[in-house]
């Protein structure tokens, strides 16, 4: 049974780093620090206001969270370290909402970060049972084994089953990847005039890892990984950080001047797998049922119907998963996701803009940060700050973050004032945010004075901070 939160929880501040190719040049301490400082500045609070903290990462030693949070202050608060595969960031967000909703805290800070290795994901602990081994064994029994990366095989097999059952074509999956890639400012304007789907999303996101423009032919002719998935339909590994400040109604009421930027977590569900995971369906092996369950629970709690959702950030680790998830979320009739793609109904001018950020395929996928980055994009959409890629007339936004193994988090956001979003010019944003610029359209940094204003006033440690701030500011 999914229980509604007892007290409302709001997103008051968000912060992101640029998502980078993993080259070992930036450490997780820097990624977490940059994202966290930006979120504190955005929320107009000091770290002393934070009562509990959550660190989200998959690759790293225990207590990496403390190493990151101690840079803001050593205030003796509880710090949780969360790992839930690719849904890690949203799992941390869910924990924050649970703490606020249960009156355990009025202000919780969540920071997700990941320093990754090049290439496809692999196992780290080979001397013990693989937690996803049962799923891998089911895949081998039902679909066989190739030399492709395991995740690509699983999601590619799901695409094959969707094609066989519902009539989707390889080009439909390639079109998803193409749409996730790029949307120039000129194209954005034209998209609203011509209702064309031939424009792509990622170029207007300043935090994206990739900005390259690809044609449908480019994507179909890129190296085949596991049919129908080509290389350009697979998300990259990435280094990156993201942070969010979650607060209670009491905390917000004490700061009425911030209500305009607060975004309500109106519905949310963290779910795990059902027995259908092992029913020999390649689609169900990807957690299709748990996504259905989580989406319905979150939407019901928020009082929103799937057909009312106009903007959605979903977990497109592969184009195949975007197709399956459109279906599982209820954004289309069962088995009709490919028809939405063909009609242009997943981009500007269509039924629902999916992944206006560019999604994992183009924006990047630093595992611990991904779910929080999705949250940031939807917060900026609802505030009206994402003025170069705004989905207009939005009153509710839907987020989906999946981790095989398995866990999924679906979240519905609404503006605190209950109104639809309106476009806000960057000059107005710059005047209101603690950053001094519009973070939705500019990936810039901060000054030492800004850092000094949000680090703990009484319980800061320069030893804990070391040279992190200098390294981060040098990159700006």
């Amino acid at each position: 049974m999914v229980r509604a939160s007892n007290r409302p929880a709001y997103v008051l501040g968000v912060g992101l780093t640029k998502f980078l190719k993993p080259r070992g040049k930036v450490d997780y301490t820097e990624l977490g620090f940059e994202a966290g400082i930006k979120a504190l500045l955005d929320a107009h609070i000091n770290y002393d206001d934070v009562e509990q903290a959550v660190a989200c990462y998959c690759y790293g030693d225990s207590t990496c969270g403390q190493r990151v949070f101690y840079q803001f202050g050593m205030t003796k608060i509880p710090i949780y370290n969360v790992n839930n595969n690719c849904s890690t960031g949203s799992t941390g967000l869910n924990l924050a909402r649970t703490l606020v909703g249960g009156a355990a805290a009025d202000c919780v800070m969540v920071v997700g970060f990941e320093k990754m290795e090049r290439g496809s994901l692999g196992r780290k602990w080979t001397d013990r049972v693989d937690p996803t081994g049962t799923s891998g064994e089911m895949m081998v029994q039902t679909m066989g084994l190739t030399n492709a990366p395991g995740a690509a095989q699983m999601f590619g097999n799901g695409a094959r089953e969707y094609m066989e059952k519902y009539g989707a074509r390889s080009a439909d999956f390639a079109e998803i990847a193409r749409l996730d890639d790029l949307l120039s400012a000129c194209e954005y304007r034209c998209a609203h005039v011509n209702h064309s789907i031939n424009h792509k999303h990622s170029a207007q996101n300043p935090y994206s890892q990739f900005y390259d423009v690809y044609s449908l032919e480019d994507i179909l002719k890129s190296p085949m990984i596991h049919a129908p998935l080509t290389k350009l339909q697979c998300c990259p590994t990435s280094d990156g950080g993201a942070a969010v400040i979650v607060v209670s109604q009491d905390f917000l009421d004490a700061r009425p001047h911030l209500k305009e930027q607060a975004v309500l977590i109106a519905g949310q569900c963290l779910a795990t797998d059902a027995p259908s995971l092992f029913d020999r369906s390649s689609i169900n092996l990807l957690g299709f049922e748990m996504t259905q369950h989580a989406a319905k629970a979150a939407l019901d709690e928020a009082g929103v119907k799937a057909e009312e959702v106009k903007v959605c950030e979903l977990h497109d680790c592969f184009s195949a998963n975007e197709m399956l998830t459109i279906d599982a979320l209820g954004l289309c009739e069962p088995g009709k996701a490919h028809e939405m793609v063909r009609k242009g109904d997943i981009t500007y001018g269509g039924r629902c803009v999916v992944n206006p950020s560019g999604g994992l395929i183009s924006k990047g996928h630093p595992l611990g940060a991904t779910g929080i980055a999705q949250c940031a994009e939807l917060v900026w959409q609802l505030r009206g700050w994402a003025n170069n890629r705004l989905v207009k007339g939005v009153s509710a936004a839907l987020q989906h973050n999946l981790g095989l193994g398995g866990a999924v988090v679906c979240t519905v956001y609404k503006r605190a004032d209950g109104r639809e979003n309106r476009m806000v010019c960057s000059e107005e944003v710059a005047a209101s945010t603690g950053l001094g610029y519009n973070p939705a359209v500019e990936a810039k940094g901060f000054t030492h004075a800004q850092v000094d204003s949000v680090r703990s006033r009484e319980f800061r440690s320069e030893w804990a901070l070391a040279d992190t701030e200098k390294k981060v500011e040098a990159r700006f």
Side-chain angles (χ1 to χ4, degrees), residues 69-80:
F69 279 103
Y70 284 178
Q71 299 175 122
F72 309 125
M74 302 180 72
T75 56
K76 300 181 286 293
I77 63 173
I79 297 174
Y80 307 89

Side-chain angles (χ1 to χ4, degrees), residues 124-174:
K124 285 293 183 183
W125 306 101
T126 57
D127 63 341
R128 62 204 69 187
V129 171
D130 182 352
T132 60
T134 48
S135 293
E137 291 166 11
M138 177 59 70
M139 181 192 76
V140 172
Q141 284 193 22
T142 55
M143 299 296 289
L145 186 67
T146 72
N147 292 327
Q153 291 185 62
M154 293 186 72
F155 285 97
N157 291 340
R160 293 177 185 183
E161 183 175 319
Y162 203 86
M163 293 167 73
E164 293 169 1
K165 289 182 68 172
Y166 303 118
R169 300 188 298 261
S170 296
D172 298 324
F173 296 94

Side-chain angles (χ1 to χ4, degrees), residues 190-268:
C190 293
H192 287 75
V193 175
N194 299 327
H195 299 277
S196 171
I197 68 168
N198 295 322
H199 311 296
K200 305 140 191 180
H201 297 173
S202 184
Q204 292 306 103
N205 182 352
Y207 302 93
S208 291
Q209 185 168 337
F210 296 119
Y211 297 97
D212 300 315
V213 180
Y214 296 109
S215 67
L216 187 62
E217 184 180 18
D218 289 334
I219 293 169
L220 287 169
K221 288 187 175 181
S222 65
M224 183 63 67
I225 304 299
H226 186 77
L229 301 179
T230 62
K231 183 178 180 179
L232 293 177
Q233 296 177 62
C234 308
C235 75
T237 52
S238 314
D239 290 348
V244 59
I245 308 293
V246 179
V247 302
S248 68
Q249 185 72 57
D250 288 345
F251 192 95
L252 189 60
D253 286 344
R255 298 159 179 82
H257 59 290
L258 298 178
K259 289 188 177 182
E260 178 71 18
Q261 73 180 57
V263 170
L264 174 68
I265 303 175
Q268 189 176 63

Side-chain angles (χ1 to χ4, degrees), residues 53-132:
V54 184
C56 306
Y57 62 98
C58 293
Y59 295 102
D61 292 320
S62 182
T63 69
C64 283
Q66 281 85 331
R67 181 67 180 84
V68 168
F69 279 103
Y70 284 178
Q71 299 175 122
F72 309 125
M74 302 180 72
T75 56
K76 300 181 286 293
I77 63 173
I79 297 174
Y80 307 89
N81 290 273
V82 172
N83 179 345
N84 222 4
N85 260 354
C86 299
S87 65
T88 293
S90 286
T91 300
L93 180 64
N94 177 262
L95 176 56
R97 188 200 188 210
T98 300
L99 291 168
V100 169
D106 284 310
C107 180
V108 181
M109 183 174 181
V110 186
V111 179
F113 48 85
E114 211 70 72
K115 180 180 180 181
M116 302 186 72
E117 297 174 345
R118 298 186 187 192
S120 57
L121 303 182
R123 291 185 61 195
K124 285 293 183 183
W125 306 101
T126 57
D127 63 341
R128 62 204 69 187
V129 171
D130 182 352
T132 60

